[in-house]
Structure formats: structure tokens, C-alpha cells
Amino acid sequence: DRGNHRHFMEKEIYEQPEAISRTMSRYIDFAELKSKPIDGSIDFSAIDRLTMSACGTAFYAGVVGKYWFERYARLPVEIDIASEFRYREMPLGPRDAAMFISQSGETADTLASLRYCKDNGLPIGAVVNVQESTIAREANAIFPTLAGIEVGVASTKAFTAQLTVLASLSIIAGRQRGTIDDAREAELCQALVEIPGLMTKALNEIQPQIEKLAQELSHYKHVLYLGRGTSFPLAMEGALKLKEISYIHAEGYAAGELKHGPIALIDEKMPVIVIAPYDAVFAKTVSNMQEVAARGGRIILITDAEGAAAADMETMATLVVPKVPEIAAPIVYSAPIQLLAYHTAVFMGTDVDQPRNLAKSVTVE
Ligand code: M6R
């Protein structure tokens, strides 16, 4: 049932504050601002490396997770696309653990990667939405996303629920590894607890601006997304979302890679969407934006009020998102990228929930 929404995708976008909060309550004690105990089959203090593998949107969630595990738990993370991981014969050792991320829990390549790690004797964790799935069944520890059924082929609430689990696990891993003390844990948990409210605020505040912008965007054939730090995987996710439902060619790049190639593409026909919360790497991203502007590129800047003021640039549009704590940014900034892709596709009249050539669950290689 789509309720009052035109598409399941739209409904699922707006369900996110609730899906995130439900998922988070499984891992975080909201009242005590502490992480909750998890399945003991994965002990983050007993490993030297975490190997993650997934496909599509779940892979991008994993890339964000890598930044978090490395920053908060000082745990090195290897992440690869499952279709590559399963065949590249990665050496695995006794102090490795593996983590797989999948909405459906049935993705063929992700499952094959899981079995490769299992055959190598690694403890297996799985971040899954469908808990009666094969991946859930074969994992040692299940870290559920409680997003509810996701119908739209373009993943939205499953993605932000995956991010919620990974953010929570990075705090839990930090506690187990002694890199996070009580005060830091409380501070990070407080930041997480604020996310559902910030997400609601973001969705409501940008909505009026998005429709007009989406109409404009629907006239372009190519779009480039840029981001740094955890905004880099978000740039890739934004590009995937736009291409899969609007069929506009889009690419996501690390902002710092701009001058190593993609800058050659920049002209007034290829808008550049820059995802840049006002954080530690903001100034670096602004200098990349200036490079785009100097070549006649048109910029859509997604930032907060401080970022908008500090950037002080002529843009095609600036979408202002509420100010968020660092760990919350990738989740809250999912709202504008999803809505932009959604409304662009709606303008173009595509089959948003069931885009051509795509299936919700990819059970064949
Ligand atoms: O069910 P999974 O999470 O394993 O699926 C992985 C990808 O097929 C999936 O995320 C796909 O990229 C979506 N269509 C993205 O919106």
C-alpha cells in the first residue's frame, strides 16, 4: 500500500526517520546513551582486519562503514564489490572477520563471497533486512536492519538503515577495542539519537526547493557527483540513484580525483552536484568547486547554513540541510540525494518503482 504517495520509493523515503529509529534502538540505548551488547560470534577486539563485501547501494553503505570503523574503532577495513571479491582470491588470516551487507539477503555475488570467507574459517557477520534470507541463515552473527519491506527497486530506507547499523557497530567496535571511552560513546550515541529528527527536518525543508531543481535537472544528459570523506561514497550512491531511475548518465567521484581526469568533462552541459557538509574537509571541497566554476561548470551545492555562507559561490542551486554531527552526515544527506533523483525521474515520466532492466533482488551472477 502506497498510502498517499505516488510511488513506493517516495513512501519509503519518508519512512526513513522511523526505520532509522527502529533500527537504532536495537543497538543503542537511547536513555543511557550507550551501545547495547551484540552477538558474541563477532568480537572486534579479537581481530586485526574486517573484510566487507556487498553490491550496489549496499556496497556504498559499506564504504561509509569503512570510514567509521577506521576512525572510531581504529579497525582496518577492506571493502570490495562482491562480484570482484569472490574471484580475487584474497588471502585471509586467523585474525580476520568478514561482514556482508544486503537488503534482500539473496544477492548471488554477496552470498558467494560469504561462502568464500566461511570456507576460510572467518567469523561471518551479516547486515541484512530480510531476516529469513540465505545470507542471514549462513552468517554467524546477524545485524538486522529494521527498515521493513522495501518495495521500490531503488534502495532508500534499506540504505540509511544499513548506515545506522554500521555507525552503531563502529561505536560498539570502538568500545570493544578500547578506542572509545564512556564520554566519547555518550557523545556519539547522542549524535545518532538526533538523526531521525534531523532527517525529518531535512526532508521537510528541502522538499519545496527540490521539485523546481529536479525539473531543471531533467533536461541534462550527464551529471557528476562529488564528495570527500564519507560524502564520497554518498556521491557514488547519489549517482547510482539518479541513473537507475531517471536514466540520466551520472558518475560519483571523490572530489580530490576531479583534477585527475573528470575535470575534462566539465562544461555548462554537465551539472556538478557537490555534497559538502561544513566539516573538517569542507575547505578542500570548496577549492574543487572553484575549479569547476572556473571552467564554466554549473554547481548544485548540498551543504548546511554554515557551509552555504562559507562557500560564498554562485551556484545553480544550494540545498541547505540542517547542521548535523559528523557521524550523522551520510545518513541525513541521503535525504536530498534521494529526493533529487526521485523528483527528476517523476518529471521524466519513468517507471520509478520498477525501472527498466532492473530487479529488486539479483539472485543470479
Ligand atoms: O539486496 P542487496 O542489498 O544485496 O542488493 C544489492 C544491490 O543489488 C542493490 O543495492 C541495487 O544496487 C539497488 N537497485 C540500488 O538502489
Side-chain angles (χ1 to χ4, degrees):
D1 179 15
R2 281 185 274 111
N4 305 326
H5 296 279
R6 277 167 296 179
H7 300 97
F8 279 104
M9 181 179 177
E10 185 180 50
K11 174 170 178 258
E12 289 161 3
I13 287 174
Y14 284 94
E15 278 171 356
Q16 288 179 111
E18 204 190 313
I20 292 165
S21 162
R22 189 166 55 233
T23 301
M24 201 181 298
S25 66
R26 182 85 175 225
Y27 303 90
I28 305 293
D29 183 327
F30 291 8
E32 299 285 326
L33 294 179
K34 274 173 36 186
S35 52
K36 292 184 175 173
I38 53 161
D39 187 318
S41 13
I42 298 268
D43 176 1
F44 291 104
S45 69
I47 60 171
D48 294 333
R49 180 174 66 166
L50 183 65
T51 292
M52 294 205 278
S53 187
C55 301
T57 288
F59 168 73
Y60 298 136
V63 180
V64 176
K66 171 185 167 76
Y67 283 78
W68 284 332
F69 277 108
E70 293 184 347
R71 177 172 303 157
Y72 302 120
R74 310 301 301 151
L75 176 63
V77 174
E78 279 277 343
I79 172 139
D80 205 352
I81 296 158
S83 56
E84 287 300 315
F85 179 84
R86 64 180 292 189
Y87 294 118
R88 76 184 166 95
E89 299 176 37
M90 183 180 168
L92 298 165
R95 289 183 60 84
D96 278 313
M99 182 94 77
F100 301 90
I101 308 159
S102 177
Q103 187 285 128
S104 63
E106 301 294 347
T107 301
D109 286 318
T110 310
L111 179 59
S113 301
L114 181 156
R115 288 177 177 160
Y116 174 80
C117 291
K118 217 175 179 185
D119 289 346
N120 277 272
L122 266 54
I124 310 289
V127 178
V128 282
N129 197 43
V130 179
Q131 278 154 68
E132 311 73 38
S133 59
T134 313
I135 290 178
R137 217 163 35 239
E138 297 197 12
N140 302 112
I142 305 169
F143 303 114
T145 51
L146 305 177
I149 295 170
E150 189 181 64
V151 176
V153 165
S155 184
T156 53
K157 63 175 180 172
F159 175 66
T160 49
Q162 286 159 352
L163 291 177
T164 302
V165 173
L166 293 167
S168 306
L169 288 180
S170 73
I171 298 172
I172 293 166
R175 286 301 287 180
Q176 293 184 350
R177 294 169 65 79
T179 56
I180 289 178
D181 62 14
D182 288 350
R184 182 75 170 135
E185 180 181 32
E187 189 191 327
L188 289 169
C189 290
Q190 176 60 40
L192 292 189
V193 168
E194 285 171 23
I195 293 175
L198 289 166
M199 189 83 179
T200 303
K201 199 158 178 266
L203 287 165
N204 295 338
E205 287 180 1
I206 51 187
Q207 171 67 30
Q209 241 185 312
I210 290 259
E211 285 194 39
K212 185 177 159 286
L213 180 59
Q215 188 167 16
E216 236 182 297
L217 203 63
S218 67
H219 296 119
Y220 289 92
K221 297 217 154 37
H222 310 276
V223 177
L224 183 64
Y225 286 73
L226 295 179
R228 233 173 232 276
T230 52
S231 299
F232 161 44
L234 210 59
M236 296 193 284
E237 167 62 7
L240 177 65
K241 221 81 302 169
L242 187 69
K243 75 182 97 169
E244 66 179 340
I245 59 171
S246 76
Y247 316 141
I248 294 173
H249 167 228
E251 293 201 54
Y253 257 95
E257 275 290 290
L258 182 68
K259 54 167 76 67
H260 300 286
I263 199 164
L265 296 168
I266 302 294
D267 63 15
E268 70 295 341
K269 295 204 197 81
M270 187 183 199
V272 180
I273 301 183
V274 182
I275 304 164
Y278 190 69
D279 59 15
V281 291
F282 178 79
K284 300 280 174 198
T285 309
V286 168
S287 66
N288 301 124
M289 253 165 40
Q290 284 159 345
E291 290 157 11
V292 170
R295 284 153 189 91
R298 310 195 63 198
I299 293 163
I300 297 168
L301 173 61
I302 309 179
T303 186
D304 48 40
E306 271 176 282
D312 189 28
M313 277 184 74
E314 186 73 37
T315 59
M316 183 171 153
T318 300
L319 296 177
V320 178
V321 172
K323 173 98 193 129
V324 296
E326 188 184 56
I327 194 169
I331 303 179
V332 177
Y333 279 67
S334 296
I337 63 161
Q338 293 166 348
L339 281 179
L340 196 55
Y342 172 73
H343 286 287
T344 304
V346 169
F347 269 111
M348 298 181 79
T350 60
D351 189 348
V352 173
D353 284 333
Q354 200 54 257
R356 66 186 185 200
N357 310 338
L358 291 175
K360 181 67 185 159
S361 174
V362 185
T363 53
V364 289
E365 189 175 342

